[in-house]
Amino acid sequence: MKLHEFVVRRLLLLIPVMIGVAVFTFAVAQIIPGDPAALQCGDKCGLIVGYTEEGEPITAHQANRERLKLDDPVSIQFERYITDLVNGDWGESQKNGRPVLDIIKTSAPVTLEMAFFSLMIAYPLGIFLGIISAVRQDRMFDHVSRFFAIAFVSLPIFWFAMLLQLYFATGPEVGGICDPIFGTEGGCFPIFDRHDQSYTYPIEGYHWFYPEAGTGFHLVDSWFVTDAKLAELPSEFDTNRELFMDTLTHLVLPCSALGIASSGSLLRYMRASLLEVLHEDYVRTARAKGLSEFRVVVVHACRNAMVPIVTILGFSIGGAIGGAVLTESVFGIHGMGTVAVLGILQLEYQIVMGVTLLTSVIFLLSNLIVDIAYAIVDPRVRLE
Amino acid sequence: MREWEEGRKDREESRKRLLESLAMSIGNIGRGWKIYRRSLLAVLGLVMVLSVSLVAIFADEIAVQHPYRNLTDTEDKWSNNPDQQESPPFSEECSLRAQKITTNPNSPLFSETVVAESGNKVRESIALGYYTDVLSVTEIIKIESISPPGYDQDMSLITVDPNNSSIFVLSPELYGNSSYYAGVWITYLYENDEMSHWWMPEGYDTCIFGTNKEGHDVFSKVVYGARVSLTIGITVATLTVTIGTIVGSISGYYGGRVDEVIMRICDVFFAIPGLILAMAFVAAMRSVSSLTLPVWLGVLLPVLMLAYFLNAHLSTTILSGDNKVSDQAMGMLMKNRSLLVSVLAFLFFVGWLPAIAWSDFFGVSHSRGWRLTSSLVVIALLAAIILADRKFVQKNSMDGALERLSSSFDWTNPWRYLNFRTVVVFLSMAILFKLSGNEGSEIILIKDFDKLWQVQFALIFTGWPGYARLIRGQVLYVKEMAFVEAAKSVGAPPSRIMFRHILPNAWAPLLVAFTLDIGGTILSASGLSFLGLGAAPYTAEWGLMISESRVAFQRAPHMMLYPGLAIAITVLGFNLLGDGIRDVVDPKNRR
């Protein structure tokens, strides 16, 4: 099979899954209790807003049901849902009427940023420790690192994040360990939120820089804040660089929590994969040629052992998004997870649908990219 | 009909076989244990799991009854006690009490001696009223006037009776002085004999982990939390394994279009990150208060299950011909399946089917009329389908069916029926019986479908596709082996091949996944509770306890430290146990 055939086939396979996900989100929204029409009018549902042709009064509740077309059969509602999705209308928040797509546009980059940096921590850490663990198989280091790998997988991530907050983001009177060592005040890293507390949020749900640059990624946006805006800020943020560093330091703790937690499983994969490769003939050949052990492991063995690790990348992104829900909640970050949890607690089913759909799209696309990359690296995959 | 004595030989034979297989499995376990104990970590994991399980089983014995804890609190529901503030571990404050003393001689409540007693505690039920514990005072800390509040008074105003440490004696200047007319607060340290605990060292009866904001003893809550978490973990893992095994083996065994459909459904589940999927399910189940089945389903499901399992048996006894019951019914259905599908599609698109509310669809309806009609219609439909097949009636004679049936059951040899399948069936029946109730024309499967059950069901819904895929792979692998071919060639039915030949050879990775999944489930459930989507407020659930501690975790980290540690230890234990079992079932390690 040629590469482009493989790609087309993978793309076609995505279609039924995407339809399935849409059916699923729609079904969940149908089952979620609570009347969206009643939610929107709140305590004014009994208010009479007009009269029918026969002179019967129409309440606000009825008008809402009419407007949202909730009385249609489910099949017609589903058809409308799909066409709206394709046309880019993902519904709107029932509380304040903000379009769901807009809410997601500001919150999804926050989560993606976090997931990306956590993987940037998890992959080097997991791979490095995995290599050492495999090279020193059944020695002390191996046992210890394997124990820690399992321990990190077993830690509840929200608890781990809170421990990080407790020890690295507080002063010594609470239990922080940073201040005596590094001479900082109130911990090494900020404890909460995505940037300094002295910023204000001009519009609910938008972060401070968003209207300036509009990518939604805080790190990117912080570079493009105009000087006029910068002048409004407290004196410690005079340049874009300081703003950038501030947003970056706010990422350290959440991403470490996520990254360390997911490095455990990567370590185990890397170790197993490398152990398998180390028994291959070409490794023996390399050793027989008299290459240094370092060169054998790093150049000859690792490159092949890394291939399966890359395939997990797709799943890791899904896992990181799932974990980000909990970490966001601990650190008070307005990402997709927070939006989803609030959506469920406030019965905003449109938001829940939107977030579920978007996370699955991200997950599927990342898996697709990884698979294609894998097919390029390892042509054997294409033959199946 | 055979006599009891006649079956003796068979009985002994079956018993011998049973004992042999028992001895064999004990031998297997012994061999497995030898491999298992090679790894120190695995043994450590087993110890962790065993100790957590013991704590969960004996939670009532181990948990300390906290002075502020209301006796109506059960293992997973704790009341709100707004007056009490959290106190750190090992603090004296846990045995500190402020009691109001009336000093106005004109008051009907006035007395010169006052008994030191605990606050009101509710008896087993609120109808039985309240009671108080008599406390023995060890030290008076301070005496404050009530109005004006907060002024410390002379400590000599109230003394403890030297003969009885639980009685305060009021000095005459206290009740003779009109400035104290509103009474005083007396704060004192006490010991409560009612709460002394057999395993606690002297003086540490309460508060080894401190108390939380509501004044609940964190230690007791952590202990009871073991019960909640293990219940969730084991229930969810068992049910997901069951569902996943059934679906996966069907998918793997039949292959083709069935496989394709099931795997696409699994893909949908895999496409959404687990926690977000579980959150959506929890949201969807919010209004379900009890899990009920309409009568027709409640009757039909067990009957269908039994018919499926006893298919071969029944078709040779009840029917004289060699046509199987299910073949007949399925044949009928299969022949007309295009018709059925088109009728269903028609109904769906015309919009008649959607007019049935979703809640009715899942059998949670409360309308009596709907229940009755649907039951009747479904049973009538099924009966009609089977009976309408004239060939079925013509070909098979029912004469002498009862005789054949009774002769096929060997009542003189009960040992013969003591196998894994019957044990599982009886066990699940007993568990269902314990959970279920009966209300009018509905069969209630789970009476109290509380938030914990919602979490469990959400995790079951999200968990089964993983197992289905795992089992499917195993089945595909085992299916090609020679012994399956042999079983097929002697005419064994699919169910027998699946449960007798394929699954016993595919259980090893399943066992490992099961063990690891218990830990994973406990983690996810606590995560959901942490987000506020899981256990109800004040439940002794570890994730919820951590969530509740968030408001003050910098000031009082003990509130989140111990529950988190408990989760970590439990999950770590199950993960290590799973790894150990993986080593045991790994063919490389069998010698």
Side-chain angles (χ1 to χ4, degrees), chain A residues 20 24 31 33 74 147 150 153-154 156 158-159 162-163 165 174 191 268 322 326 329-330 341 344 347 359-360 363, chain B residues 41 270-271 275-277 279 281 283-284 286 354 523 527 530 533 550 553-554 560-561 564-565 572 575-576 579:
Chain A
F24 170 80
I31 305 169
V74 176
F147 176 77
I150 302 183
V153 174
S154 316
F158 47 94
W159 184 66
M162 283 169 83
L163 283 188
Q165 279 185 333
V174 176
I191 189 165
R268 302 177 72 186
L326 293 167
S329 166
V330 173
V341 173
I344 288 172
L347 295 177
T359 47
S360 66
F363 182 70
Chain B
L41 283 182
F270 284 126
L275 196 67
I276 290 180
L277 190 64
M279 276 160 58
F281 274 126
R286 266 190 156 192
L523 264 190
F530 179 79
L533 301 171
R550 265 202 286 182
F553 93 96
Q554 290 187 32
M560 68 108 175
L561 219 53
L565 216 55
L572 184 62
N575 282 346
L576 291 174
D579 273 11

Side-chain angles (χ1 to χ4, degrees), chain A residues 330-367:
Chain A
V330 173
F331 287 95
I333 294 171
H334 279 274
M336 241 179 342
T338 319
V339 166
V341 173
L342 283 180
I344 288 172
L345 292 178
Q346 300 170 351
L347 295 177
E348 296 251 32
Y349 71 101
Q350 301 270 29
I351 296 180
V352 180
M353 283 159 98
V355 171
T356 315
L357 208 63
L358 186 79
T359 47
S360 66
V361 169
I362 293 171
F363 182 70
L364 286 173
L365 284 184
S366 54
N367 264 322

Side-chain angles (χ1 to χ4, degrees), chain B residues 267-289:
Chain B
D267 279 348
V268 171
F269 277 82
F270 284 126
I272 308 169
L275 196 67
I276 290 180
L277 190 64
M279 276 160 58
F281 274 126
V282 169
M285 277 186 299
R286 266 190 156 192
S287 66
V288 182
S289 60

Side-chain angles (χ1 to χ4, degrees), chain B residues 411-460:
Chain B
W411 68 278
T412 58
N413 183 8
W415 296 115
R416 196 182 138 188
Y417 299 99
L418 188 68
N419 55 21
F420 187 66
R421 199 197 300 173
T422 38
V423 168
V424 168
V425 166
F426 275 100
L427 219 67
S428 48
M429 267 164 69
I431 291 172
L432 259 186
F433 183 76
K434 200 170 167 248
L435 290 171
S436 64
N438 184 351
E439 189 184 274
S441 57
E442 267 183 343
I443 295 169
I444 301 176
L445 279 188
I446 296 160
K447 259 178 297 187
D448 191 17
F449 197 82
D450 52 7
K451 288 191 125 191
L452 286 178
W453 270 111
Q454 291 178 10
V455 170
Q456 292 183 40
F457 266 76
L459 293 173
I460 291 167

